Amino acid sequence: EPEVTQTPSHQVTQMGQEVILRCVPISNHLYFYWYRQILGQKVEFLVSFYNNEISEKSEIFDDQFSVERPDGSNFTLKIRSTKLEDSAMYFCASNYLAKNIQYFGAGTRLSVL
Amino acid sequence: GDSVTQMEGPVTLSEEAFLTINCTYTATGYPSLFWYVQYPGEGLQLLLKATKADDKGSNKGFEATYRKETTSFHLEKGSVQVSDSAVYFCALSTSAGGTSYGKLTFGQGTILTVHP
């Protein structure tokens, strides 16, 4: 069965550094999403992406965050200058909207020290 | 805005016990409703879904019925197994034709532990 792949599984970085989280969505999917889950808290929507542009973003998704789909297969989330509070599990999801089901990757655990 | 409220956890049961995890929602429009499950160390997997009132989603012995009148989508299973131990998330999304492009709004998650 096709799946969403995220790399790395765990990323450790120093505060203030830039990080890029990578995702390979399912190949025929059209909508892409990033969510995050701070330890012990809800899974929160960050951003949705369609047709090479952001469709919607939450208030969490400020100027420190950006997304792109550079080569038609990868979907990346960049955090420009990480803060301690960015430490969380980040999930990528993709959706073929005819079924309106989002498929999630296993996540990248980001630890900001 | 949209919101989902799940019963407080964690829930601890013995094998073969009956499970109910309550979920209620607030949404503009007519949402689709989902239960996702997260096993230890893994990502979220869709467990079941329902897209209109009175629909019943079911999978792996789990069931949930979309109740518009009570804005609820409670998860039930008649006989739980140790392998059902996981975190369960109730979620909703608005229709694909809406402006939200199907983003999911999650409840806080309920940790289920099943003992032999």
Side-chain angles (χ1 to χ4, degrees):
Chain A
E1 187 175 322
E3 58 182 25
V4 176
T5 306
Q6 288 186 245
T7 55
S9 56
H10 190 194
Q11 174 87 50
V12 182
T13 190
Q14 295 291 324
M15 190 169 55
Q17 294 297 304
E18 175 184 285
V19 294
I20 298 176
L21 309 182
R22 303 181 192 281
C23 170
V24 179
I26 295 173
S27 63
N28 64 339
H29 284 191
L30 302 175
Y31 289 79
F32 313 106
Y33 310 82
W34 284 100
Y35 294 83
R36 80 171 185 191
Q37 183 183 28
I38 295 172
L39 189 63
Q41 297 187 23
K42 283 189 183 190
V43 177
E44 302 171 289
F45 168 77
L46 293 178
V47 65
S48 59
F49 191 86
Y50 170 69
N51 201 25
N52 282 321
E53 59 183 28
I54 290 173
S55 311
E56 183 176 7
K57 58 184 181 180
S58 71
E59 60 214 25
I60 302 167
F61 195 89
D62 62 20
D63 292 344
Q64 292 299 312
F65 291 89
S66 62
V67 289
E68 66 175 356
R69 197 153 185 253
D71 56 11
S73 61
N74 291 286
F75 178 51
T76 62
L77 174 69
K78 182 194 288 186
I79 309 174
R80 250 178 284 280
S81 177
T82 50
K83 308 185 192 73
L84 295 175
E85 54 265 36
D86 294 327
S87 295
M89 182 72 89
Y90 288 81
F91 292 106
C92 172
S94 68
N95 185 359
Y96 182 64
L97 268 180
K99 289 191 174 182
N100 196 22
I101 295 174
Q102 291 186 30
Y103 294 84
F104 283 77
T108 293
R109 179 163 297 286
L110 176 64
S111 299
V112 182
L113 306 179
Chain B
D2 298 344
S3 67
V4 176
T5 302
Q6 284 180 237
M7 66 184 289
E8 295 290 328
V11 174
T12 302
L13 296 173
S14 298
E15 207 163 27
E16 299 183 3
F18 184 84
L19 168 71
T20 300
I21 301 177
N22 290 337
C23 171
T24 56
Y25 67 90
T26 303
T28 53
Y30 205 175
S32 294
L33 302 174
F34 306 84
W35 278 99
Y36 278 82
V37 58
Q38 185 179 28
Y39 297 103
E42 299 184 15
L44 290 87
Q45 301 173 26
L46 179 67
L47 181 60
L48 53 84
K49 65 175 280 193
T51 57
K52 61 183 187 294
D54 300 324
D55 262 4
K56 179 185 282 189
S58 61
N59 186 25
K60 300 181 182 178
F62 290 90
E63 294 182 339
T65 301
Y66 190 143
R67 299 286 187 205
K68 187 165 182 254
E69 63 277 12
T70 55
T71 61
S72 65
F73 192 55
H74 305 321
L75 182 69
E76 296 183 336
K77 186 174 186 184
S79 176
V80 293
Q81 305 300 311
V82 172
S83 56
D84 294 327
S85 298
V87 184
Y88 292 81
F89 292 92
C90 186
L92 67 82
S93 76
T94 55
S95 68
T99 57
S100 70
Y101 293 87
K103 75 167 187 183
L104 288 166
T105 300
F106 286 89
Q108 61 266 46
T110 300
I111 300 171
L112 171 66
T113 303
V114 180
H115 291 299

